[in-house]
Every structure is written in structure tokens, then in C-alpha cells.
Amino acid sequence: MPLSPSTCSLVTKQIMDAEKVLANSLYVSEPNPFMFGNPSNKPDEHWTNKNWLKSRFHFSFAEYSDPRNSSFGVLRVLNDDLVQPSRGFGKHPHSDMEIVTYIVDGELTHQDSTGNKESLPRGSVQYMTAGTGVHHSESNESGDTPVRFIQMWINPDRRGLPVNYGSLMGDKSARRNQWQHLVSDMKSSYKTPIKIHQDVNIQVAELEPEQTVTLGLGRDRQAYLLMIESSGAEISQSNGKKMELATHDAAKLYGPDKIEIKAPRAGKAHVLVVEMKKQ
């Protein structure tokens, strides 16, 4: 298992400091509803934002372009999206990308040009090999509940792959106070429910107060950690360095290292990690 602490042979002086990515440093996009086929904004008591979409871009995307922040290894896109009731992304194309979507709250409905349609709740995952080309839509069909989801685009190991779609229903017990290994490489022997065409591992954990999980990174590995929900979780490196991450904060982590994530005394920590070969 690539994320086991036993994979790391640590020499303190070789450990790179983690890089904190503050929520308030992220680019926030709130596009015109007509861009994606939505009616005009009509906020009511069920809306939690004045615009139909509030999206936090961790890397360059759409109208946000920063050559110093275009990706993290093979992780090309990580968008944290909040979509209001009865709104969504109309049909649009994708190709040559591995797309993994983790639902945080509410229910997300996917429909694509190969005939797939389904709605998935909190903790569920939708994934798609866009390969030779596919059109799909993503919508919030609820009339009274916003949906929040994390969408990740990962560069595939080759172009022109056959289009594929799949999903995993959320299971809170599988991620309670432990890592749930959701995604791994097609070529690896790891027994994960989702396989993609790239050397990437995606894990998620939902920690109760003061519970911990450990993340081990080998010398040639790196990881992007997103704090999905927390009032302030503690991230500790093996060199003694610590940082606190709250909701929407993130961190860039580099091996070799053994990192401990600890939920706060009076709250939880819902955390997602994308681990990959160092670049």
C-alpha cells in the first residue's frame, strides 16, 4: 500500500516542509448562469449563495490562469464546487482526461452521451475516462438542497483511451477514523473499487474529535491534501513541523515523510488526499 507509513525510510534533514494553501488564496469563480444553460439566479431560503455556482479553483482553470499554479504533478484540476438547488452544468464535452468526482453534501446527478444517468449522495464517487471523447452534464436536481462536490482532473498515461464511466456509493463506515482507498492505477495490484489510467492514489477519511490517520510518502512520491471539512485539523510532519488546516485549506506534501492528521478536540476532520509520483 503506497500510503502506509512503513514505505518511508526517513532522514529528518531530507524532509521537505509541507506547503500550506490557504482557502483565501484560492481563485473563486461565480459564472453567469446562462453560460451553462441555467435560468437566471433566483435565491430563496434554500440557497446558500447568491449565485448558482461558487467554485474554488486550486489550479488554473477557465478564466483563472496562473502559469505558476497550473497543476500539481499529474493532478491538472481540483475544483471545489457548490451548486444551488435546481441548477447545474449543462451538456459539455471532455476528452483525454481521467475525471474523479467526490460528493461532499447533497446529491449530484450525472448524465452522459453513452447512456449513463445516476444520482449519488455524500461520500459517493463518480469517475470517467473521457478518452476519445464524451459529452456529459452534472446537475443538482433537488429543489431545496445545495450540492457540494470535489472534481479532480488527472492527466492519463496515454491519449485515445476508450470512454468509460463508473461510480461508488458512499459508505461512511469505510472512511470513519480510517483511510478509505478509493482510487488506484489500473496497472497496480491495489484492490480499490476505482481504477484509472495513471499512477495516482486517492484516499478519504472522516475523523471524529481527536482521532488521527497517518500518511506515509515514499522518497519519490508527493501528495495534495484537501481539508474538505474541519474547524482546524493539525497536520504534523516527521521533522516536527506542524500546521493547521480548516475547511477549504490544502497542503502540498513531499516524500519521504510520515504525516499525521489529527481532528480538533471539538470537531471533525474530513480529508481527501491525492497521492502520486513526484514531478
Side-chain angles (χ1 to χ4, degrees), residues 88-153:
F89 298 90
K91 187 181 291 186
H92 55 281
H94 290 287
S95 63
D96 290 321
M97 195 64 68
E98 301 290 274
I99 301 174
V100 180
T101 304
Y102 180 76
I103 295 94
V104 179
D105 275 318
E107 192 169 271
L108 182 66
T109 298
H110 164 100
Q111 186 169 6
D112 65 45
S113 54
T114 66
N116 296 299
K117 182 178 181 180
E118 67 175 339
S119 301
L120 291 170
R122 179 179 173 90
S124 300
V125 182
Q126 296 173 346
Y127 62 98
M128 184 167 64
T129 295
T132 54
V134 64
H135 286 74
H136 82 143
S137 62
E138 297 155 301
S139 59
N140 179 5
E141 296 189 348
S142 170
D144 58 14
T145 305
V147 61
R148 181 187 169 200
F149 57 94
I150 311 301
Q151 185 159 102
M152 295 153 278
W153 295 13

Side-chain angles (χ1 to χ4, degrees), residues 21-32:
V21 181
L22 289 169
N24 61 15
S25 72
L26 301 175
Y27 183 90
V28 177
S29 177
E30 299 193 70
N32 187 302

Side-chain angles (χ1 to χ4, degrees), residues 3-254:
L3 304 187
S4 167
S6 63
T7 63
C8 294
S9 176
L10 301 177
V11 179
T12 301
K13 67 180 181 180
Q14 296 177 336
I15 296 171
M16 294 177 60
D17 288 348
E19 300 174 32
K20 187 173 182 178
V21 181
L22 289 169
N24 61 15
S25 72
L26 301 175
Y27 183 90
V28 177
S29 177
E30 299 193 70
N32 187 302
F34 302 117
M35 288 177 61
F36 292 94
N38 291 282
S40 59
N41 291 320
K42 294 182 180 178
D44 60 20
E45 69 273 16
H46 303 300
W47 282 42
T48 57
N49 192 58
K50 290 181 179 180
N51 195 56
W52 74 279
L53 170 67
K54 185 172 187 175
S55 186
R56 292 174 169 87
F57 299 160
H58 285 253
F59 310 108
S60 294
F61 189 80
E63 73 272 24
Y64 167 55
S65 179
D66 181 352
R68 299 166 301 175
N69 187 38
S70 61
S71 63
F72 183 74
V74 294
L75 179 61
R76 172 62 190 86
V77 169
L78 193 153
N79 292 347
D80 189 338
D81 292 340
L82 178 67
V83 177
Q84 298 305 309
S86 303
R87 298 294 189 270
F89 298 90
K91 187 181 291 186
H92 55 281
H94 290 287
S95 63
D96 290 321
M97 195 64 68
E98 301 290 274
I99 301 174
V100 180
T101 304
Y102 180 76
I103 295 94
V104 179
D105 275 318
E107 192 169 271
L108 182 66
T109 298
H110 164 100
Q111 186 169 6
D112 65 45
S113 54
T114 66
N116 296 299
K117 182 178 181 180
E118 67 175 339
S119 301
L120 291 170
R122 179 179 173 90
S124 300
V125 182
Q126 296 173 346
Y127 62 98
M128 184 167 64
T129 295
T132 54
V134 64
H135 286 74
H136 82 143
S137 62
E138 297 155 301
S139 59
N140 179 5
E141 296 189 348
S142 170
D144 58 14
T145 305
V147 61
R148 181 187 169 200
F149 57 94
I150 311 301
Q151 185 159 102
M152 295 153 278
W153 295 13
I154 297 161
N155 292 318
D157 58 17
R158 61 191 184 277
R159 298 173 64 85
L161 290 162
V163 173
N164 182 44
Y165 172 81
S167 62
L168 173 70
M169 184 63 69
D171 178 3
K172 187 172 183 178
S173 64
R175 63 181 186 274
R176 182 186 293 122
N177 298 324
Q178 62 184 349
W179 289 118
Q180 182 184 14
H181 195 179
L182 299 170
V183 176
S184 65
D185 186 1
M186 283 275 188
K187 299 173 184 175
S188 76
S189 60
Y190 306 124
K191 299 184 184 301
T192 58
I194 300 167
K195 290 285 191 175
I196 64 172
H197 298 273
Q198 187 52 268
D199 180 9
V200 162
N201 294 279
I202 301 177
Q203 295 201 98
V204 66
E206 197 162 348
L207 305 178
E208 295 168 340
E210 296 193 294
Q211 294 297 305
T212 65
V213 287
T214 301
L215 174 67
L217 293 176
R219 187 178 305 278
D220 64 343
R221 309 297 290 184
Q222 64 183 28
Y224 196 80
L225 184 154
L226 173 65
M227 191 57 62
I228 298 173
E229 298 170 305
S230 185
S231 60
E234 185 179 80
I235 312 300
S236 303
Q237 295 186 256
S238 52
N239 62 3
K241 298 290 183 66
K242 298 178 185 291
M243 68 171 67
E244 186 177 279
L245 299 181
T247 299
H248 300 303
D249 290 338
K252 297 176 181 179
L253 308 172
Y254 305 94

